[in-house]
Amino acid sequence: MQSSSQALGISPPFDAYSGEGPYTFVSYAHADKVMVFNAMRKLNERGANIWYDEGIKPAGEWVEEIAHAIKASSLFLVFISPRSVDSRYVKSEVGYALSENKEILTVYVEETTLPAGLALCLQQFQSVFLQDANWKDKALEAIFEKMDAPVSFQSELVDNGEEVVDHGKILWDFWEKSRERQLLRSNTSKPEAIPRSKLSGRKQVLIKKIQEPEAQPSKSAGSTRHPFAVKVEVNLEKESSHSAGDLYKDASAGDFSWIPGGEISLKVPYSDESKTVRVKNGFWMARFLVTQGLYNKVMGSNPSYYDSSISGDFNNLPVNNVSWLDAVSFCKALTILSKGEGKLPENYEFRLPTEVEWEYACRAGTLSDYYFGAQADKLQDHGWFRGNSQKRLHPVGLKKPNPWGLFDVYGNVREWVGNSFVNTLLNDSEQDEFRISRGGAYMKPASECESASRSTNSLNHRFRNLGFRPVLAKVPT
């Protein structure tokens, strides 16, 4: 059977790497094949091992072979163009690479305006522009560094001493040009470029020790304060200990709840067995679901399903129609943005809670079906579900919180989590294409909004009842 390239009369430049050594995964838009194949050929001829997806049929769900190829790669190289920015396959591959903490090399086929959140996630990595005559040297230097091999290439020269100009459009001019023209501020409706001079040389905040506080008292229900207004302000005068107020200017106003470490007994999925799991380290958890207003502020877009039956301000509705990869990218972008503004202590990050952390925080020390007891009829006071939602989303924070001050853990939207319960039990980060969401949703019956309720979807899946809330925790050592 012919590949899509062969059908278009475009011959693949070489077979994808299949050896046991280190290799680079290449992500690109198929509309850029002529340019990208020419560029890949030149890199391959100079010793770079390259894996790419030629010959794999596009699929509606995540292709497991691609996921494994990204996971096993030593470097992720993405060719950026307006076509690749619009490609859901490229965005999924980039999102998965970010979720796997891969080193990323961005090669710009042409000047491209990146979505704000993606720009924030990629700004920490090296970039190259194809129109730079030295683009191959820059790319190969990054590739060979990750291959742990000596850089043994020389610039290609012609008789007159000038460097050979690549066909197509030679790809990357940049760190300078890319940052200045494409890195976008996330706090404006029309993002503006951030000059590099404002990005380099930011003061690094060093914290020797953080004293983890006791759980904060929960606030009253129905808070009208804009949820999750993260304004992290470190008190530099105190290096030995920090209370919740020291870490977060707004923590006392209720943006985060401190979740202390402890133990929880959980049902093993698909069995009658239970396991006791220890949550070793405490963490901060957002009291509110991520809202559409916050998501738009950080990522520069609002992917949520538009419901014409809802009137008024959408900013305080929970963001929805986001994939697991979207949620991971948001957390990484928020971490980068907060660190860049000097608002996070060293070695802290925003991330999705693990499945164990989510249920542990949801239960808040309780053992019953719901944190308020076993009576399902009381759910109407604590969450939006089929019995009271009128088949639509509702602003966050209108129902009663759980004992640890978390709102909407039942209903409204399901919440993506990171590692599953099984991964935690096995102390294993290896996952397939499926991810877990917790808490039920506005169209679910009460029985599917219990503390133990869980759903499974592809990490690419988007739907109008899927959202998330992040935690803030120490980066694992």
Side-chain angles (χ1 to χ4, degrees):
M1 180 177 179
Q2 285 186 321
S3 70
S4 58
S5 294
Q6 292 169 334
L8 294 172
I10 305 170
S11 299
F14 50 82
D15 292 334
Y17 182 73
S18 59
E20 297 297 324
Y23 63 87
T24 296
F25 181 101
V26 173
S27 178
Y28 61 97
H30 282 207
D32 295 327
K33 275 184 177 179
V34 174
M35 208 178 303
V36 170
F37 281 5
N38 182 63
M40 287 198 306
R41 183 182 294 108
K42 291 184 177 298
L43 296 176
N44 183 251
E45 287 172 352
R46 292 168 71 177
N49 297 330
I50 291 177
W51 193 100
Y52 64 115
D53 67 351
E54 186 59 29
I56 295 179
K57 298 177 183 178
E61 295 293 340
W62 184 254
V63 180
E64 191 167 349
E65 186 173 348
I66 290 179
H68 285 304
I70 293 174
K71 187 185 289 285
S73 65
S74 57
L75 181 71
F76 182 93
L77 187 157
V78 55
F79 286 89
I80 296 291
S81 72
R83 279 80 57 194
S84 62
V85 168
D86 288 339
S87 168
R88 71 185 183 96
Y89 297 109
V90 173
K91 286 188 286 189
S92 291
E93 289 166 0
V94 171
Y96 191 70
L98 286 168
S99 76
E100 290 293 312
N101 295 312
K102 291 295 178 181
E103 189 73 19
I104 297 176
L105 180 65
T106 49
V107 179
Y108 284 83
V109 176
E110 58 193 72
E111 288 191 13
T112 305
T113 299
L114 299 180
L118 181 60
L120 281 169
C121 289
L122 294 182
Q123 61 94 4
Q124 61 187 311
F125 302 110
Q126 182 183 359
S127 298
V128 177
F129 216 35
L130 253 193
Q131 287 154 346
D132 182 351
N134 293 325
W135 79 269
K136 289 185 294 296
D137 290 355
K138 294 178 181 179
L140 286 165
E141 184 176 3
I143 290 171
F144 282 117
E145 180 182 356
K146 288 300 170 184
M147 289 175 64
D148 197 24
V151 180
S152 58
F153 59 86
Q154 299 293 328
S155 298
E156 299 175 12
L157 302 177
V158 294
D159 291 342
N160 63 6
E162 296 179 354
E163 291 188 356
V164 172
V165 177
D166 202 10
H167 290 33
K169 299 183 170 179
I170 333 182
L171 274 169
W172 316 11
D173 143 43
F174 189 71
W175 212 192
E176 309 288 333
K177 193 183 296 183
S178 172
R179 282 217 238 201
E180 291 178 1
R181 297 184 184 181
Q182 292 153 23
L183 182 59
L184 309 177
R185 279 197 190 275
S186 62
N187 58 356
T188 58
S189 57
K190 185 177 181 180
E192 60 181 281
I194 301 177
R196 185 183 180 190
S197 61
K198 293 186 179 181
L199 289 172
S200 58
R202 300 237 181 180
K203 184 175 180 180
Q204 297 296 313
V205 180
L206 300 177
I207 303 297
K208 292 182 179 179
K209 182 181 178 182
I210 297 175
Q211 181 66 40
E212 294 169 341
E214 296 298 322
Q216 300 299 303
S218 62
K219 307 297 177 182
S220 61
S223 171
T224 57
R225 188 176 179 281
H226 192 286
F228 201 47
V230 181
K231 295 180 182 177
V232 184
E233 188 171 279
V234 179
N235 188 336
L236 296 177
E237 296 179 357
K238 297 182 179 180
E239 293 186 336
S240 60
S241 65
H242 292 271
S243 68
D246 293 325
L247 281 174
Y248 293 97
K249 182 178 180 181
D250 291 337
S252 60
D255 290 327
F256 289 85
S257 284
W258 172 248
I259 311 299
E263 290 186 347
I264 182 172
S265 180
L266 298 172
K267 296 178 182 177
V268 178
Y270 315 114
S271 78
D272 296 326
E273 185 182 3
S274 294
K275 291 281 186 180
T276 298
V277 182
R278 177 160 183 79
V279 177
K280 295 180 181 179
N281 301 312
F283 55 92
W284 296 89
M285 189 173 224
R287 301 183 70 225
F288 302 96
L289 296 161
V290 171
T291 62
Q292 295 182 29
L294 178 63
Y295 192 94
N296 184 56
K297 184 177 180 181
V298 173
M299 303 301 282
S301 64
N302 181 7
S304 301
Y305 171 78
Y306 174 71
D307 188 343
S308 59
S309 68
I310 301 175
S311 60
D313 186 8
F314 278 71
N315 283 331
N316 282 348
L317 291 174
V319 72
N320 59 86
N321 201 37
V322 287
S323 70
W324 183 89
L325 295 173
D326 294 331
V328 168
S329 295
F330 173 92
C331 293
K332 289 186 177 292
L334 185 61
T335 298
I336 293 165
L337 183 64
S338 299
K339 284 184 176 179
E341 297 295 333
K343 295 177 178 178
L344 276 186
E346 188 175 339
N347 296 325
Y348 270 73
E349 66 178 351
F350 293 99
R351 59 170 173 80
L352 292 179
T354 67
E355 186 175 16
V356 169
E357 288 173 340
W358 188 94
E359 186 168 337
Y360 176 73
C362 171
R363 287 187 177 279
T366 64
L367 299 175
S368 51
D369 291 341
Y370 306 96
Y371 60 72
F372 53 78
Q375 299 80 17
D377 59 336
K378 292 184 179 180
L379 180 59
Q380 61 183 349
D381 296 327
H382 297 264
W384 300 105
F385 66 111
R386 184 184 296 176
N388 66 355
S389 69
Q390 296 83 47
K391 301 182 180 180
R392 60 181 176 85
L393 292 169
H394 290 266
V396 302
L398 298 183
K399 295 294 186 178
K400 292 180 180 179
N402 80 347
W404 286 350
L406 305 177
F407 291 85
D408 294 295
V409 289
Y410 300 141
N412 225 352
V413 292
R414 292 184 283 143
E415 301 180 36
W416 285 116
V417 297
N419 273 5
S420 71
F421 174 45
V422 173
N423 290 115
T424 302
L425 277 181
L426 299 176
N427 193 25
D428 183 13
S429 63
E430 186 75 20
Q431 300 191 81
D432 55 22
E433 69 172 284
F434 295 100
R435 296 296 185 270
I436 306 301
S437 58
R438 302 298 302 263
Y442 68 93
M443 284 295 289
K444 295 289 187 179
S447 61
E448 294 185 37
C449 295
E450 296 176 353
S451 297
S453 298
R454 66 200 302 266
S455 300
T456 303
N457 294 101
S458 163
L459 48 70
N460 276 306
H461 184 83
R462 294 182 175 93
F463 202 62
R464 58 185 176 181
N465 70 354
L466 264 174
F468 67 100
R469 81 177 74 215
V471 300
L472 177 78
K474 289 180 179 179
V475 178
T477 56

